[in-house]
Amino acid sequence: LQDGTMFVHHPRTKEFVNAIPNPNRLSFNFTFNGDDDFFKNDVRIKKDGDFMGCIGDLGWYCVRMGLLVFTRMDAKALKGIVTDVQVFRFQLSEDGVPIDADCMVYFTDNRVLSFHCSFLHPLNQTAHMTGSGQIYNVTITDPILPYEGEKITFAFAKQDLIQFDEICTKEKKVVECDNSLVQEVCMWGHFAKWSKKIQEERDSPKDPENEVWWGGDSNEVKAANAMATFSLHTQIVLDGLMDSIRLKGAKISLL
C-alpha cells in the first residue's frame, strides 16, 4: 500500500516537522468552498463514493501531519501513540456524508492535534505548531498545495508584551526551502526507487503483524514500509473519527 500523499515526500516537510523540539500542539485548518457542481457530482460527497467526505479527504492530510509531527517521522513510534479521537462539531450532507468537521486527536504525553476540515469555507491550508516552553510558534500556509517558485517557506513567529503588558511586539523568521523538485516529482522518484528495491528483494521474509509489508534490508524497502505504516495509522485515526460522528460526537478510544 502506497498512497498519493505528496507533501510527505518533499524535503520541506521534514524541516517543518523538526523545526522545534518537543512540540505538543498542532492545529490545522484545511478547507475549501465547494461549488454547486461539486456538491452535485463530486465523489467526495457521495455516500456510495467517498462516504468519509471531508474527514476522508481533507482530514487525511491533517491527521498525517499530526502523525509526522508527533513521531518525528518515525514509523516505529506509531503504535499506541494516538489514545483517543473526537469530532466535537460536524455537519453532514443530506446523504449523511461529513462536509464540515472540527476534530481532536489525542496523543500520548499530553500532545494534541486539533483540526477543522470543510467543504464550506474559503481555501485555507494553514498549520500552526508549538510546544510548552518554546519561544517560537511555527506556521506553514501551503503544506499540501504549495505556492509556485524555486523556494517555498515556513515561518517562526514570536510575540512579546511590553509597557506593562499592554502592547504586543512581534518577530518573524522565514525559512526558505528548495523547491527545484516539486512534491509530485519527489513522490514519483521515491516510488520508482522503492519499487525497484522491493522487486529485487522480493524473496526476503515479510512480517505483516509487525508492519513489515515487504521484506528486505535496503533503505528503500525500509522507507516503503514506513510510508505504508503511516498510511495504515492515518486510516485507523480516520475510522475512529467516523465512529465519533456515528456516536454523535463521542470520544473514541483507539487503545
Side-chain angles (χ1 to χ4, degrees):
L1 172 65
Q2 294 294 332
D3 64 66
T5 309
M6 293 182 288
F7 83 95
V8 302
H9 297 272
H10 196 282
R12 178 182 63 166
T13 300
K14 184 175 182 179
E15 291 194 47
F16 172 77
V17 164
N18 292 290
I20 59 172
N22 303 316
N24 58 20
R25 291 293 182 275
L26 178 69
S27 62
F28 205 143
N29 290 299
F30 196 9
T31 64
F32 69 83
N33 268 325
D35 58 17
D36 289 341
D37 181 71
F38 175 84
F39 283 104
K40 288 178 181 177
N41 300 308
D42 198 281
V43 69
R44 288 171 288 182
I45 54 89
K46 293 186 179 296
K47 192 172 185 178
D48 58 354
D50 186 355
F51 64 92
M52 288 187 169
C54 64
I55 297 286
D57 179 24
L58 307 176
W60 174 277
Y61 297 94
C62 302
V63 170
R64 177 61 66 87
M65 182 66 88
L67 294 176
L68 293 174
V69 165
F70 294 131
T71 64
R72 288 296 206 245
M73 303 182 77
D74 180 6
K76 295 179 180 178
L78 284 166
K79 283 188 176 181
I81 195 173
V82 177
T83 61
D84 304 275
V85 300
Q86 184 176 18
V87 183
F88 60 89
R89 192 207 57 81
F90 58 89
Q91 184 174 343
L92 307 179
S93 70
E94 292 181 357
D95 289 334
V97 173
I99 56 176
D100 188 277
D102 288 286
C103 307
M104 303 291 287
V105 181
Y106 300 94
F107 292 74
T108 55
D109 299 323
N110 294 314
R111 295 170 293 179
V112 178
L113 162 68
S114 59
F115 70 90
H116 175 221
C117 57
S118 176
F119 297 146
L120 302 176
H121 294 80
L123 179 62
N124 184 6
Q125 47 165 338
T126 303
H128 298 280
M129 176 173 62
T130 191
S132 301
Q134 299 301 314
I135 297 174
Y136 291 95
N137 299 303
V138 189
T139 301
I140 187 168
T141 59
D142 63 332
I144 312 305
L145 304 167
Y147 303 127
E148 285 188 321
E150 290 296 311
K151 300 289 184 180
I152 53 178
T153 66
F154 63 89
F156 291 87
K158 175 186 177 184
Q159 294 182 333
D160 281 313
L161 295 173
I162 60 173
Q163 295 190 16
F164 305 104
D165 293 345
E166 294 179 349
I167 296 177
C168 184
T169 65
K170 65 179 180 179
E171 175 188 342
K172 184 177 181 180
K173 299 191 298 183
V174 176
V175 178
E176 291 188 336
C177 304
D178 181 60
N179 194 40
S180 55
L181 290 179
V182 297
Q183 60 182 10
E184 295 92 332
V185 174
C186 294
M187 181 182 74
W188 288 112
H190 286 157
F191 283 174
K193 293 176 182 177
W194 300 349
S195 298
K196 182 175 182 292
K197 285 296 184 179
I198 288 170
Q199 181 66 15
E200 290 176 356
E201 301 178 36
R202 61 186 180 275
D203 294 329
S204 300
K206 308 173 182 62
D207 187 7
E209 289 188 3
N210 290 303
E211 300 179 347
V212 178
W213 317 106
W214 299 283
D217 295 322
S218 66
N219 289 333
E220 290 82 0
V221 172
K222 292 177 182 178
N225 277 314
M227 192 64 66
T229 298
F230 271 105
S231 297
L232 171 64
H233 285 266
T234 303
Q235 189 61 55
I236 289 171
V237 172
L238 297 187
D239 289 343
L241 292 170
M242 291 300 291
D243 286 342
S244 178
I245 289 176
R246 282 189 282 270
L247 295 174
K248 309 301 183 184
K251 195 173 186 180
I252 304 297
S253 174
L254 295 189
L255 296 178

